[in-house]
Every structure is written in structure tokens, then in C-alpha cells.
Amino acid sequence: MTAFVPTQPLTPSEQRIAQHVIKGLDAREIAAATQLKPNTVHSTLRTVRWKLACPERCSLAVVAHRLLASGQITAPTPSRPAPDLSIEQINLLKAAAEHTLPRDIALAPADVRDALDQLLADTGAQDSTELVVLAHSWQLLPTEQAAYATRSGATQ
């Protein structure tokens, strides 16, 4: 199970930027949508990563996972039911939500790309950020509250 690192609350302006991450926008698209300068968006995303205890240059999929897992942003209601995924696909999904680089996922890098492409196809997600958001909507990824409840219940 993932050990969650304490996070710091986001400011309202950071939450507005974070909502765009959950919608699948990249920094340039967020800047256009919010009428902010790209440097402002990059700076805000850097702060959001720091407050969420994310690696410095992690992917927006990892940021989306931490936003949703920490409860700072609520997962949207899924537009379709969760597909039947194998244990291996769920494990890959969890690894993709927590890591940016293929070498950090427990498959050979070439196998990771193929497996992720298949997982995207099976879930109907356009990219890894949408995959993570869908997985949270389907409750396939843990939240800090769920992880805490599991740990607390196990010790009683």
C-alpha cells in the first residue's frame, strides 16, 4: 500500500489551476483557459507539486492523483462504468498514478508503453491524466482517507 505523505492545503487560486489539471489540460492550455501568463501557471503548478509532496517535475497524471487522493479536489462523477480490469492492469494503473518515468514502474520500459497503451484503450482514456481521473472516479485508486481507515482498522 502507498504511504501517503502529508500535504498542505491549496489556496483558492491554486485550486482553480488544479481543477484544470483534473480536466486534463496542460500548462499552456491552463494559461489560455484562465487568461494567466504561462509563467504564472508554471509557478503555480510548481507550488502545487510542492504542497502535494510530488516529485519536482512529475507528470500531471501524478499531480492529478495526489490532488484526488488527498481530497483537495473531488473526483468527477464517472460518465461510464468501470471496465473489467485484470489485477496486472490495476497494478499498472496504480504505478502510473504514482510515477512519471517508465523505469520507475516494475516492467521493462518498452513493455510499460505497450501495457499503458492497452490500458488506455481498455478504459477509453485519451492520456494518463484522464486515466488517473477516471480511476479515481471509479474508486480504483485509494484516497488518503481510505488508506487511513484501512490502516486504523488493521491496528484495532
Side-chain angles (χ1 to χ4, degrees):
M1 180 185 309
T2 302
F4 287 101
V5 178
T7 60
Q8 296 183 25
L10 300 180
T11 65
S13 62
E14 291 164 348
Q15 285 183 335
R16 282 190 295 278
I17 298 288
Q19 284 290 349
H20 289 287
V21 171
I22 299 304
K23 292 177 184 174
L25 302 182
D26 64 23
R28 184 180 36 226
E29 293 166 330
I30 293 170
T34 59
Q35 303 298 307
L36 294 171
K37 292 183 179 184
N39 287 345
T40 302
V41 172
H42 283 287
S43 176
T44 303
L45 287 173
R46 197 170 24 257
T47 301
V48 167
R49 282 181 173 98
W50 179 78
K51 286 186 172 184
L52 297 174
C54 291
E56 194 172 310
R57 291 191 174 141
C58 66
S59 71
L60 290 178
V62 174
V63 174
H65 171 59
R66 292 294 296 145
L67 286 165
L68 295 166
S70 68
Q72 298 221 33
I73 301 289
T74 303
T77 303
S79 60
R80 57 190 180 273
D84 289 328
L85 300 177
S86 69
I87 296 295
E88 292 80 17
Q89 286 178 306
I90 291 174
N91 288 336
L92 177 62
L93 174 61
K94 290 175 182 177
E98 296 172 3
H99 302 287
T100 297
L101 300 175
R103 70 170 185 247
D104 295 332
I105 299 172
L107 296 172
D111 294 339
V112 169
R113 183 74 275 171
D114 290 342
L116 277 175
D117 286 345
Q118 185 61 53
L119 187 55
L120 290 171
D122 290 349
T123 59
Q126 298 298 311
D127 58 32
S128 57
T129 302
E130 184 181 6
L131 176 65
V132 167
V133 173
L134 283 169
H136 273 281
S137 296
W138 293 325
Q139 299 180 344
L140 297 175
L141 291 172
T143 62
E144 287 185 18
Q145 293 83 7
Y148 177 76
T150 301
R151 285 193 306 268
S152 296
T155 59
Q156 293 178 346

